[in-house]
Amino acid sequence: MGNPNVVVVGATGAVGKVFLRILEERRFPVERLRLCASPRSIGKRIKVNGEDLPVEATTPEIFDDADFAFISASTAVSRELAPVAAQRGAFVIDDSSAYRMDPKVPLVVPEINAEDLEWHQNIAAIPNCSTTQMVMALYPLHKANPIKRIIVDTFQAVSGTGNLAIDELREQSRTILEGGSAKASVYPHQIAFNALPHIEPFMEDGYTREEQKMLYETRKIMHAPDIAVSATCVRVPVYFSHSEAVHVEFTHPMSPEEARELMAAFPGVVVVDNPAANEYPLAIDAADRDEVFVGRIRKDSSHPNGLAMWIVSDNLRKGAATNAIQIAEEVVKRELLKPRG
Ligand code: A2P
């Protein structure tokens, strides 16, 4: 089989733009690349690998000769287009929450459960960005000493909401610094100089949907149906990278030294943990990097089997685009693409 044809839906979006950059960086071999977005972007042009490509209409026919369809637009768009693309023979890598918990759809972080791709039915989902970085750091610990319970508080960047939220934070910050009053439209409240304990709608049990994702997706990716997770997801005025304060209860005690060793040996995880020198993971350092950074690793003083830590990663890269391209690489490596036609 030759190099794959790739269609990117949401090519003008916050994740889509990073996805195209990472395709170039990783030299992912592509035969033909086609870019799609909403009707308002049709006719725009985007340069990828030195080629000036048009943004096209997202029609069903565009998937006809596609080997991969990467979809990062909205849950509604994924719901509509993923089955269409899959039915027309493309392997869909979906960035929305539409199919993540579907038992027929593998939910994959390649370092953890690449083998789940083997039972795909032409759609694979990438996890929510806040889940991905947490499981990346915790999976090597879980393998050594099964995790029973996780308490996590997130500090999530506005880029996770998309381009409009990035613009809103910039605009509100400028207005307020100039003495004006901010207008909120993307979020229910002002995000500049604020922290919003509200990401996605509130559910019946009082958690938000984002918080529930951290529970259900963690269980599915780690094949650990009994893990308990209690999350509080907070949007903060940071552009790129999510940070997380995580408290983990293991089956047996685990020392911080052992945890550092296990995490440092896991591909894609970097331990930055030297508080005496003020060294710990920071959102601004993680931005534009693919790794998940972990620090502040210490005994949880509230539980004998507990550890506490701080996990930071670029939400647009490992949290979305990099993970998606890693899935595509894995699909190619495992020869899981159906021959075209
Ligand atoms: P557009 O730029 O034309 O609005 P973000 O997450 O940054 O908000 O980006 C969302 C992405 O999804 C953008 O590329 C956006 O295109 C695209 N998009 C939104 N609605 C549709 C749609 N109905 N069909 C295809 N792409 C869409």
Side-chain angles (χ1 to χ4, degrees), residues 57-69:
T58 319
T59 60
E61 293 73 33
I62 204 151
F63 301 110
D64 276 345
D65 67 348
D67 297 295
F68 284 110

Side-chain angles (χ1 to χ4, degrees), residues 91-104:
F91 186 105
V92 177
I93 301 175
D94 188 45
D95 180 31
S96 79
S97 60
Y99 298 97
R100 287 183 191 142
M101 296 315 297
D102 184 328
K104 296 187 296 303

Side-chain angles (χ1 to χ4, degrees), residues 45-54:
R45 302 192 76 86
I46 301 178
K47 227 182 197 140
V48 189
N49 273 326
E51 239 189 300
D52 195 28
L53 299 171

Side-chain angles (χ1 to χ4, degrees), residues 9-17 36-42 44 55-56 58 72-74 77 80-81 159-166:
V9 179
T12 52
V15 171
K17 286 189 280 189
C36 305
S38 80
R40 63 189 158 265
S41 295
I42 292 169
K44 279 187 187 164
V55 176
E56 302 181 68
T58 319
S72 180
S74 68
V77 168
E80 184 192 328
L81 290 180
S159 55
T161 315
N163 283 330
L164 289 177
I166 297 174

Side-chain angles (χ1 to χ4, degrees), residues 9-29:
V9 179
T12 52
V15 171
K17 286 189 280 189
V18 173
F19 182 88
L20 296 176
R21 224 172 60 223
I22 300 175
L23 273 187
E24 294 177 330
E25 285 172 17
R26 293 175 85 96
R27 298 180 199 288
F28 184 85

Side-chain angles (χ1 to χ4, degrees), residues 233-283:
C233 292
V234 182
R235 189 73 67 189
V236 292
V238 166
Y239 286 110
F240 304 106
S241 302
H242 293 346
S243 305
E244 298 176 343
V246 180
H247 293 75
V248 190
E249 180 192 330
F250 297 93
T251 306
H252 311 287
M254 180 181 284
S255 70
E257 294 71 31
E258 185 187 358
R260 278 186 206 105
E261 270 174 35
L262 290 167
M263 287 192 279
F266 194 68
V269 176
V270 175
V271 174
V272 181
D273 199 11
N274 187 7
N278 299 339
E279 286 170 7
Y280 28 73
L282 292 175

